[in-house]
């Protein structure tokens, strides 16, 4: 499965992905038994070694992110909002409600062995947090003006604990080598993506008409470490680990 996803990332079916880590051995054998020109053989070996190294790193790479999973009830409310928007904007790429989550940190491609360090870091965060509640706000877009790329439901969490949670994740992950985000945290749930700039004005009109939903409300008691499998039929997110909040002390809040 990992190789298939890697193919999707690098453009599919190329020889690096297909040949895997055995290429060195094959060329080595050929060099020994076929007795080819030594200079050319050395160049071949270097090339295949480079390919093999690239292949190995692709094989072990995982596209990952940290997020808050949504309740079934929230997903149903998002489904309703999407149906209302779809009426005016049928041509957006809709995110399946089952796939919608609140992203805290996108890690990008990480190596398999880094995943353990991420788990330990997230356990540390979860031990310092206790459950909190968030609420859905209005609809909006990225970017806020001009061409629309993404349509979202905003998240409101007045106590500041969500922000604390996100900053804690940022900081423990920065400590193990993941560059901290320099953009401000804008908590949101992505409903749809837009690929056609000419639809932007229409989308903006539709979201003004369409209310968000106060039914988007849930208690958050854990953060989830996900692997994202990109594919032609859409992304599939796999839960790698769940980190439940266990602190009973009052939470430190970020202003
Ligand atoms: P696709 O990119 O094919 O549309 P996707 O966005 O569903 O698929 P990913 O790109 O793997 O899947 O993203 C996983 C999660 O991380 C999503 O919530 C996405 O919005 C978020 N994300 C992806 N890239 C970034 C980024 N550069 N910065 C912040 N969040 C990101
Ligand atoms: Mg993406």
């Amino acid at each position: 499965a990992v190789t298939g996803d890697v193919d999707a990332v690098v453009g599919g079916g190329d020889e690096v992905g297909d040949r895997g880590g055995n290429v060195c051995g094959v060329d080595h054998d050929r060099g020994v038994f076929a007795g080819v020109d030594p200079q050319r053989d050395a160049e071949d070996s270097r090339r295949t070694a480079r390919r093999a190294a690239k292949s190995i790193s692709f094989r072990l790479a995982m596209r990952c992110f940290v997020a808050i999973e949504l309740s079934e009830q929230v997903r149903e409310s998002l489904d309703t909002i999407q149906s209302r928007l779809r009426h005016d904007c049928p041509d957006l790429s809709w995110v399946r409600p089952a796939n919608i989550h609140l992203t805290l940190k996108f890690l990008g491609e990480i190596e398999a062995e880094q995943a353990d360090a991420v788990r330990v870091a997230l356990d540390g965060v979860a031990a310092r947090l206790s459950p909190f509640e968030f609420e859905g706000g209005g609809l909006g877009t990225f970017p806020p003006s001009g061409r629309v790329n993404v349509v979202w439901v905003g998240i409101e969490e007045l106590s500041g604990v969500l922000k604390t949670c996100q900053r804690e994740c940022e900081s423990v992950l920065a400590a193990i080598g993941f560059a901290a985000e320099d953009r401000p945290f804008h908590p949101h749930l992505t409903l749809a993506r837009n690929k056609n700039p000419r639809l932007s004005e229409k989308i903006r009109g539709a979201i003004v008409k369409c209310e968000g939903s106060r039914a988007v409300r849930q208690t958050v008691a854990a953060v989830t470490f996900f692997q994202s499998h990109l594919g032609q039929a859409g992304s599939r997110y796999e839960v790698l680990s769940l980190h439940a909040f266990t602190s009973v002390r009052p939470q430190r809040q970020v202003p």
Side-chain angles (χ1 to χ4, degrees), residues 38-253:
Q39 212 173 350
R40 201 174 141 204
D41 195 43
E43 177 50 36
D44 270 4
S45 297
R46 274 195 295 277
R47 194 179 305 126
T48 49
R50 274 198 302 274
R51 268 190 205 141
K54 227 169 147 192
S55 161
I56 287 161
S57 75
F58 280 149
R59 273 168 177 263
L60 299 181
M62 309 156 71
R63 184 178 177 93
C64 293
F65 64 99
V66 177
I68 291 168
E69 283 190 278
L70 303 179
S71 66
E72 201 45 53
Q73 198 192 342
V74 165
R75 286 175 174 155
E76 280 168 22
S77 304
L78 297 174
D79 195 27
T80 306
I81 299 172
Q82 285 180 324
S83 309
R84 294 203 298 255
L85 270 178
R86 197 179 276 120
H87 184 260
D88 283 335
C89 309
D91 296 326
L92 295 179
S93 305
W94 301 95
V95 183
R96 278 180 289 131
N99 259 4
I100 303 179
H101 49 260
L102 172 48
T103 306
L104 296 172
K105 176 75 178 171
F106 179 71
L107 299 172
E109 297 290 330
I110 75 168
E111 284 172 27
E113 54 266 35
Q114 286 178 289
D116 283 335
V118 171
R119 280 191 201 96
V120 171
L122 294 177
D123 272 340
V125 171
R128 292 190 292 276
L129 294 174
S130 43
F132 62 90
E133 191 165 275
F134 73 68
E135 229 175 66
L139 303 183
T141 65
F142 288 143
S145 60
R147 181 204 162 120
V148 171
N149 292 326
V150 168
V151 180
W152 46 254
V153 177
I155 293 296
E156 288 173 8
E157 197 279 307
L158 299 176
S159 74
V161 186
L162 172 60
K163 206 165 175 185
T164 301
C165 173
Q166 180 266 342
R167 288 215 188 156
E168 291 267 340
C169 289
E170 274 288 352
S171 103
V172 295
L173 293 167
I176 57 168
F178 294 97
E181 185 65 56
D182 47 13
R183 294 176 300 185
F185 177 50
H186 192 299
H188 65 277
L189 309 175
T190 298
L191 295 176
R193 297 190 171 89
N194 172 45
K195 297 191 178 80
N196 181 354
R198 281 177 298 189
L199 295 178
S200 297
E201 208 171 314
K202 186 157 195 192
I203 296 169
R204 290 188 191 287
I207 67 171
V208 170
K209 276 198 334 203
C210 181
E211 284 170 40
S213 171
R214 291 283 156 195
V216 175
R217 169 195 287 272
Q218 83 170 57
T219 300
V220 179
V223 292
T224 306
F225 180 29
F226 282 100
Q227 180 172 3
S228 171
H229 303 272
L230 301 179
Q232 306 236 300
S235 315
R236 181 173 63 80
Y237 304 135
E238 178 188 354
V239 173
L240 296 178
S241 54
L242 196 69
H243 305 265
F245 301 160
T246 53
S247 174
V248 288
R249 290 188 309 180
Q251 326 227 326
R252 188 166 58 80
Q253 294 176 11

